[in-house]
Amino acid sequence: MSKMNTEVRRRRTFAIISHPDAGKTTLTEKLLLFGGAIQLAGEVKARGARRRARSDWMKVEQERGISVTASVMRFEFDGCAFNLLDTPGHQDFSEDTYRTLTAVDSAIMVLDAAKGIEAQTLKLFEVCRLRDIPIITFINKMDRESLDPFELLDQIEQTLALDVVPVSWPIGMGQHFAGCYDLFNDQILLMKKGSGPGEEAEVCKELDDPRIINAVKPDLLEEFKGQLEMAQGLFPEFDQNAYREGHMTPVFFGSAINNFGVKEILQGIADHAPSPRPQKALEREVKAEESKVSGFVFKIQANMDPKHRDRVAFFRLCSGHFKRGQKLRHIRSDKTINIHNPMLFLAQSRALAEDAWPGDILGIPNHGNLRIGDTLTEGETLHYTGIPSFAPELMQKVRPDDPMRSKHLGKTLRQLGEEGAARVFKTFMGGDWVIGVLGALQFEVLADRIRTEYNIPVHFESTTLFTARWIEADDHRVLKKFHDANQASIAADHDDQPVFLSRNAWHLDTTIEEWPDIRFLKTKEQNPG
Ligand code: G4P
């Protein structure tokens, strides 16, 4: 097999989706622990704390105790190279999460065993479904009082319209949780509550093993045997194709905090999750094994280190073997970029990437020339598709405390708009800056960033605006006519694309009805061409 095929086949690029508090951070940490990327549990949080201590660029993150930034973590397990893309769990930052999901090939869905599917799980699942992202389910916190396993599986099946296949079956729950039956290998894993890899479970081959008799009360064991028999008869066989097409989800039970079930889920991804999938571009579908390098930017993070005012573009390599120093064509500007200091993200640090393979995520430092949705290739004209920009749900005007700084503010807002941190509009009449976001917390994050990163104190003022729609028409004269008739409701986004700002739902609906030749777009593809 060629080196390219070997490297593509061993890569797994995935994300974890969950409702806040289900245990995503804990599972992430344990995956890194089992993948040998960190030595001690607790380091993920420590890393966060250290990073925050180094800079104050995300005071809000500190104050609110939420994670608002996505990062990438890299580790190896069982011969596979894993790229785990962290998705911010807070619902206010879902836009970033949606975009991160455009860069993965599969996902783990973490559920709290006591709660089952929650609002945010459902939202994120729907994004995965849109992109046919295969999902492995991890039902966490079995060491707490939980819902009945049949009820949990039924909920997944009914709510998500997915076939479910239990890979393991829990023995007891809450304080009686003793471990799981491994349905794929017909063996029993008894939980040991150890502190690290190798210490989490004892393997028993038979149900009458004295260790099981010792650990599990007789009535509980009887109940479990009944459930197991039922489960074995009730659920379909695991079908890898159905999973990879997104119709079936294998389900693991466990307790991340006790390391239990973590190795199994890693093994599950290594054995079944897809390696880098073909990616759709406007022009054609691109296979990972193709020899020429190509990929797209799905996230921009500015000022990761405020001393350097850097911006890092997160670039998903879709095809080819990338080497440091390679010159790539930036399709939007048709310029060549020399990628001489690409970064790989390890659990605790960044390192210079000497090379990278399809599925890998590179951090490309730049000064604002790279934007979300941009494609880079070795020469071919390609535009990767499917990276959305969403219509905002909340809009406020932003003004500098010192009016003399308004020109600087304009520049700053444009940068933030390019970065994808918020929608930024300049009204046609009055020249006001209007910021549109999906969640109210984003205003605070932005005000804080504008203050600390750009040194411009600002305040937000509420508006009566309802939402924004990007407007398009085949005939530019129609667009001009619309513009002239609705001057007070027209603005431009950071790319100077026209948008319609509606005052309320009625205003939007009647305008759409009145102007059938205008397309009112709720999402804008980032830089489609
Ligand atoms: P999130 O990233 O999805 O928001 O969840 P996170 O991992 O932070 O976990 C949320 C809470 O649930 C944490 O408790 C965590 O310790 C706990 N937890 C995670 N996995 C398990 C599990 O398998 N069993 C039990 N019993 N608890 C689990 P916390 O008190 O909010 O935080 P902390 O003080 O432990 O850091």
Side-chain angles (χ1 to χ4, degrees):
M1 206 190 298
S2 71
K3 176 89 173 146
M4 171 61 92
N5 281 335
T6 312
E7 291 298 336
V8 168
R9 278 192 197 181
R10 75 186 201 96
R11 281 211 163 39
R12 304 286 181 273
T13 301
F14 71 109
I16 303 180
I17 61 169
S18 70
H19 190 85
D21 247 19
K24 192 185 65 177
T25 312
T26 311
L27 181 63
T28 301
E29 186 170 74
K30 302 300 178 155
L31 291 174
L32 295 177
L33 189 66
F34 278 71
I38 57 174
Q39 306 311 322
L40 279 174
E43 288 188 35
V44 172
K45 279 188 183 160
R47 181 189 68 118
R50 265 205 305 280
R51 191 183 58 208
R52 286 194 286 271
R54 255 206 339 253
S55 74
D56 60 357
W57 66 279
M58 268 293 162
K59 280 200 192 121
V60 178
E61 183 176 25
Q62 223 171 343
E63 283 161 15
R64 300 287 191 122
I66 53 167
S67 165
V68 288
T69 53
S71 55
V72 183
M73 280 162 283
R74 172 77 187 259
F75 58 93
E76 302 245 341
F77 179 82
D78 196 29
C80 286
F82 291 79
N83 293 304
L84 169 53
L85 276 56
D86 187 20
T87 49
H90 197 282
Q91 58 185 18
D92 271 6
F93 297 90
S94 43
E95 194 172 357
D96 228 9
T97 304
Y98 290 145
R99 295 206 194 108
T100 296
L101 291 175
T102 62
V104 301
D105 301 298
S106 71
I108 298 180
M109 174 170 75
V110 180
L111 303 182
D112 181 328
K115 297 186 174 147
I117 308 246
E118 298 177 82
Q120 186 76 346
T121 343
L122 191 59
K123 262 196 185 171
L124 292 167
F125 170 78
E126 278 161 5
V127 181
C128 290
R129 166 158 286 164
L130 275 177
R131 306 183 56 81
D132 296 324
I133 295 173
I135 289 181
I136 290 181
T137 304
F138 184 70
I139 300 188
N140 189 29
K141 304 197 190 181
M142 287 307 297
D143 59 310
R144 291 234 185 115
E145 279 312 303
S146 321
L147 298 173
D148 175 74
F150 285 105
E151 194 181 329
L152 281 162
L153 295 182
D154 191 50
Q155 205 186 79
I156 300 171
E157 190 165 2
Q158 299 298 327
T159 320
L160 308 183
L162 276 180
D163 288 335
V164 290
V165 180
V167 180
S168 59
W169 196 268
I171 307 173
M173 66 161 86
Q175 55 177 326
H176 301 297
F177 180 58
C180 281
Y181 189 91
D182 173 351
L183 286 148
F184 278 19
N185 301 301
D186 279 320
Q187 57 185 12
I188 302 101
L189 302 173
L190 273 185
M191 185 163 81
K192 272 188 11 185
K193 292 198 178 176
S195 62
E199 297 167 14
E200 73 285 357
E202 270 185 274
V203 181
C204 306
K205 290 288 172 199
E206 304 293 337
L207 272 169
D208 55 9
D209 189 301
R211 287 171 295 178
I212 297 181
I213 309 288
N214 241 339
V216 188
K217 282 201 204 127
D219 54 335
L220 193 67
L221 194 58
E222 279 316 301
E223 188 192 355
F224 162 74
K225 283 180 184 165
Q227 284 191 350
L228 182 65
E229 203 179 323
M230 232 170 108
Q232 279 168 328
L234 199 64
F235 297 100
E237 289 268 301
F238 177 67
D239 172 347
Q240 196 180 54
N241 284 336
Y243 153 68
R244 288 194 175 178
E245 285 163 9
H247 307 312
M248 177 180 269
T249 181
V251 181
F252 294 76
F253 289 86
S255 169
I257 206 147
N258 293 305
N259 300 319
F260 189 80
V262 175
K263 192 171 101 205
E264 288 67 31
I265 203 153
L266 257 182
Q267 194 67 53
I269 300 183
D271 293 345
H272 305 295
S275 48
R277 308 195 298 172
Q279 299 281 332
K280 287 197 183 76
L282 273 183
E283 294 76 5
R284 65 185 185 90
E285 199 170 73
V286 180
K287 292 205 177 64
E289 295 82 0
E290 291 182 21
S291 61
K292 292 265 181 357
V293 167
S294 73
F296 62 89
V297 174
F298 63 93
K299 179 186 164 65
I300 303 279
Q301 195 157 319
N303 303 338
M304 281 170 92
D305 180 350
K307 278 200 285 279
H308 294 106
R309 276 290 156 98
D310 61 346
R311 279 205 205 190
V312 175
F314 287 76
F315 176 76
R316 148 109 194 192
L317 191 60
C318 297
S319 65
H321 179 200
F322 170 87
K323 291 178 210 72
R324 183 154 84 93
Q326 194 160 14
K327 291 189 176 67
L328 293 179
R329 180 176 161 219
H330 180 229
I331 304 297
R332 186 168 48 80
S333 66
D334 200 21
K335 288 199 175 121
T336 302
I337 304 184
N338 187 341
I339 319 278
H340 47 78
N341 51 357
M343 296 181 300
L344 267 188
F345 300 89
L346 306 168
Q348 288 147 299
S349 58
R350 340 169 175 176
L352 265 185
E354 290 306 328
D355 69 342
W357 298 92
D360 286 345
I361 310 295
L362 290 172
I364 307 179
N366 68 100
H367 295 292
N369 46 336
L370 290 178
R371 294 191 192 168
I372 291 168
D374 280 359
T375 300
L376 300 177
T377 74
E378 258 189 81
E380 185 179 351
T381 302
L382 288 174
H383 298 86
Y384 281 107
T385 56
I387 301 132
S389 180
F390 297 87
E393 290 173 14
L394 298 167
M395 302 211 278
Q396 293 194 351
K397 275 186 193 162
V398 56
R399 291 191 201 282
D401 291 351
D402 174 2
M404 302 292 283
R405 307 274 291 160
S406 55
K407 205 167 146 204
H408 284 103
L409 177 63
K411 222 171 131 196
T412 300
L413 293 175
R414 223 171 254 280
Q415 277 192 18
L416 291 170
E418 286 167 13
E419 188 191 310
R423 302 282 81 71
V424 173
F425 308 113
K426 191 170 192 189
T427 60
F428 181 71
M429 287 172 70
D432 288 322
W433 288 102
V434 174
I435 303 284
V437 297
L438 289 179
L441 193 55
Q442 251 174 301
F443 286 127
E444 279 179 54
V445 175
L446 282 170
D448 193 65
R449 289 193 53 189
I450 297 169
R451 198 165 36 237
T452 54
E453 290 169 27
Y454 299 93
N455 198 20
I456 312 175
V458 292
H459 56 276
F460 283 91
E461 290 172 9
S462 57
T463 66
T464 51
L465 293 170
F466 170 64
T467 188
R469 292 286 181 272
W470 282 274
I471 44 179
E472 275 182 10
D474 293 329
D475 184 344
H476 70 274
R477 284 167 304 187
V478 177
L479 205 58
K480 168 100 178 48
K481 223 167 124 191
F482 179 79
H483 194 289
D484 293 344
N486 293 280
Q487 288 189 3
S489 301
I490 300 288
D493 76 0
H494 64 270
D495 274 332
D496 278 332
Q497 297 294 312
V499 284
F500 172 71
L501 303 179
S502 75
R503 292 187 299 276
N504 49 46
W506 181 83
H507 181 209
L508 181 65
D509 291 345
T510 49
T511 313
I512 291 174
E513 255 172 53
E514 269 172 43
W515 296 86
D517 294 334
I518 302 266
R519 290 186 293 278
F520 295 83
L521 306 176
K522 216 173 161 176
T523 61
K524 183 181 83 160
E525 274 269 309
Q526 299 275 348
N527 309 311

